Amino acid sequence: MTHALLDELSWRGLLHDSTDPAELREHLDSGRRRCYIGFDPTAPSLTIGNLLPMTLLIRAARAGIGAVTLFGGGTGLIGDPSGKSVERSLLTAQEVRTNMLGQQEIMESVFARALDSSQLPQFVDNADWLDGLGMIEFLRDVGKHFPVTEMVRRDSVRRRLDDPDVGLTYTEFSYSLLQAYDFRRLCEDHGVTLQMGASDQWGNIVAGIDYVRRVLRTQVHGLTCPLLLRSDGTKFGKSEKGAVWLSADRTSPYTLYQFVINLSDDEARRFALFFSLIDREPLERLFAEHAEAPGKRALQRHLAREITALVHGQAAVDAAEAASAALFSGDVKAIGADLLSDVFADVPTVEEPAARLEDDGWPVVDLLIATGLASSKRDAREHLGNHAVLVNGERVGVEATVGTKDLLHGSVILVRRGRREWRVARFT
């Protein structure tokens, strides 16, 4: 039997590193297997970069491999130095616990939308064994199996050691030993024989494989997928600027939808291969459809719907599309109060006293100047005379005024000049 997971990862370009491919395939084909991926609880939410290993677990579960999600309740108190140029800030035990609960809530929602109840990953916390692990026991049973000469050859370690201004603490240096011990306990306690992760984890994964094989005399394996990188080569991480979060309180469903729909063609193809859970044949048909008419952005639209639905549910997709349609048509009155701030988050905003709207109202000529859509009254009248100005989605003329009756949701008036120039006037 040819194992479906490896074929799936291969054609999607998701197989970056692995133990011997033939041995791994034989191992997965030889019986019911279990795999795991570890997640560091460094924040109470997850980013779109974390969604990639989550979809790896989904693909594994769909291919008949039992999936385990390991939270670093113990290792999160230290922090993984892999891929980091400086030491992580140490978190308290309560912060780690809070972060784990937030991350698990997100994962449970995503997994429930993608998998049958019988396929759902098991959640495990490495604090269950690390909290009770004594120093002497750790040094005798774990540390003695790791030659320092081999550890310092790893890229993640060598880069830090070669930087005299940063260096590497003993705490960070020991992290890979703890991760290796995790693999051992998961193998012993939960029957896990495959560790997966992003490519920056390969050194840690190899260390764990060597340790488990040496101590347990058990054949275990590892594989990694590529990192999800921006066009400038940086990670979609939690600490990086402009992180795209998976929790609605940090990145709204509308913002996530817009992020995906605005991907370039090359980025959209890569995101589709990495994240889409539809089968190969319909995905390749979608690629062909997009290639025939790139201007219709069929690939981006499908992907925006699929990713937003996976993370937030179908209702969030419907709301995002309704808001997008309203913005395109100018019928902004249809956008609800909850969505309005998200839709116009990046639009220049001015604040004005509500008193301007009293009595006979405020001339739109003055509103255009206040919002920066006109440089003078003459300029404003010209735009109005050309029927180029909409207030709350309705075209207005030179003599138009706005009053309290025009406030959307009690505080906002939206102004558009031409096809794209929007401004938000907030009245207090």
Side-chain angles (χ1 to χ4, degrees):
M1 181 177 75
T2 299
H3 205 280
L5 176 64
L6 300 182
D7 294 337
E8 175 86 356
L9 298 184
S10 181
W11 83 263
R12 287 180 179 272
L14 284 171
L15 199 53
H16 191 276
D17 301 290
S18 78
T19 47
D20 184 89
E23 292 181 0
L24 176 57
R25 186 177 294 275
E26 181 181 359
H27 177 75
L28 294 178
D29 286 344
S30 62
R32 173 70 174 176
R33 299 300 182 185
R34 305 196 83 195
C35 67
Y36 94 94
I37 297 178
F39 292 83
D40 255 347
T42 54
S45 184
L46 296 161
T47 71
I48 196 163
N50 300 122
L51 186 61
L52 182 53
M54 288 165 63
T55 57
L56 277 189
L57 288 174
I58 291 170
R59 297 187 200 284
R62 287 183 171 184
I65 300 172
V68 174
T69 297
L70 179 69
F71 285 120
T75 48
L77 294 169
I78 294 174
D80 185 0
S82 299
K84 293 294 179 182
S85 58
V86 295
E87 185 175 12
R88 293 179 184 269
S89 299
L90 297 182
L91 302 176
T92 67
Q94 183 56 51
E95 287 173 329
V96 168
R97 180 65 182 168
T98 299
N99 292 348
M100 284 173 52
L101 292 174
Q103 292 184 2
Q104 182 168 342
E105 183 178 356
I106 294 170
M107 289 185 184
E108 287 177 339
S109 296
V110 171
F111 291 149
R113 294 187 183 105
L115 297 169
D116 296 333
S117 57
S118 62
Q119 299 172 321
L120 294 175
Q122 177 184 2
F123 291 98
V124 179
D125 177 6
N126 66 12
D128 292 346
W129 51 79
L130 292 181
D131 282 358
L133 184 63
M135 175 62 79
I136 299 300
E137 180 186 0
F138 175 72
L139 292 175
R140 281 177 57 90
D141 296 345
V142 184
K144 68 177 182 179
H145 295 288
F146 288 82
V148 172
T149 51
E150 291 184 13
M151 294 177 68
V152 297
R153 290 195 193 105
R154 294 190 192 127
D155 290 342
S156 59
V157 172
R158 192 174 63 252
R159 280 196 299 269
R160 293 283 292 276
L161 291 177
D162 289 344
D163 188 340
D165 297 325
V166 180
L168 188 73
T169 66
Y170 178 76
T171 300
E172 294 177 292
F173 188 64
S174 302
Y175 185 93
S176 64
L177 279 68
L178 296 174
Q179 185 168 326
Y181 187 70
D182 287 344
F183 200 176
R184 171 184 173 176
R185 290 300 300 266
L186 288 168
C187 183
E188 287 181 307
D189 302 344
H190 299 279
V192 171
T193 55
L194 171 63
Q195 182 180 174
M196 304 191 298
S199 58
D200 60 352
Q201 288 295 308
W202 183 241
N204 289 340
I205 291 174
V206 169
I209 291 170
D210 292 342
Y211 172 65
V212 175
R213 289 180 176 180
R214 186 179 301 117
V215 173
L216 300 183
R217 305 295 181 184
T218 300
Q219 192 73 351
V220 293
H221 296 269
L223 67 82
T224 65
C225 67
L227 287 168
L228 181 67
L229 301 177
R230 302 173 186 273
S231 55
D232 62 1
T234 59
K235 289 174 59 176
F236 281 95
K238 302 183 189 74
S239 59
E240 281 71 21
K241 184 178 179 181
V244 180
W245 297 91
L246 303 185
S247 53
D249 62 327
R250 294 191 173 211
T251 297
S252 71
Y254 175 82
T255 303
L256 174 62
Y257 180 92
Q258 289 298 319
F259 165 77
V260 179
I261 210 166
N262 287 318
L263 293 172
S264 69
D265 288 348
D266 288 343
E267 289 174 327
R269 182 180 177 86
R270 181 164 53 95
F271 268 61
L273 289 169
F274 281 15
F275 292 113
S276 179
L277 297 177
I278 66 174
D279 292 336
R280 179 173 185 171
E281 187 175 330
L283 189 55
E284 289 183 335
R285 284 200 301 268
L286 185 60
F287 288 155
E289 177 187 348
H290 182 79
E292 289 179 3
K296 293 183 178 180
R297 301 181 71 77
L299 180 57
Q300 286 91 335
R301 294 183 186 281
H302 170 88
L303 202 56
R305 295 187 191 106
E306 186 178 358
I307 291 178
T308 306
L310 178 64
V311 176
H312 296 293
Q314 186 57 44
V317 177
D318 296 340
E321 292 192 320
S324 297
L327 188 63
F328 180 77
S329 67
D331 184 20
V332 289
K333 292 180 181 178
I335 301 176
D338 293 340
L339 263 180
L340 195 68
S341 59
D342 294 328
V343 174
F344 290 93
D346 297 324
V347 171
T349 300
V350 298
E351 293 194 3
E352 297 288 338
R356 292 196 186 281
L357 305 178
E358 296 174 356
D359 300 327
D360 294 330
W362 196 24
V364 174
V365 167
D366 295 331
L367 174 61
L368 290 177
I369 296 172
T371 57
L373 289 176
S375 57
S376 64
K377 290 191 175 184
R378 178 179 177 179
D379 186 33
R381 291 192 183 98
E382 183 176 341
H383 291 306
L384 289 163
N386 291 332
H387 308 292
V389 177
L390 286 81
V391 173
N392 293 341
E394 296 181 358
R395 207 167 299 278
V396 295
V398 175
E399 303 301 324
T401 61
V402 289
T404 54
K405 68 181 187 308
D406 298 303
L407 290 173
L408 298 180
H409 312 299
S411 62
V412 169
I413 290 177
L414 303 172
V415 189
R416 191 181 89 183
R417 189 196 71 196
R419 297 186 63 181
R420 298 181 181 275
E421 285 290 319
W422 284 95
R423 294 292 188 275
V424 176
R426 194 173 299 277
F427 293 86
T428 58

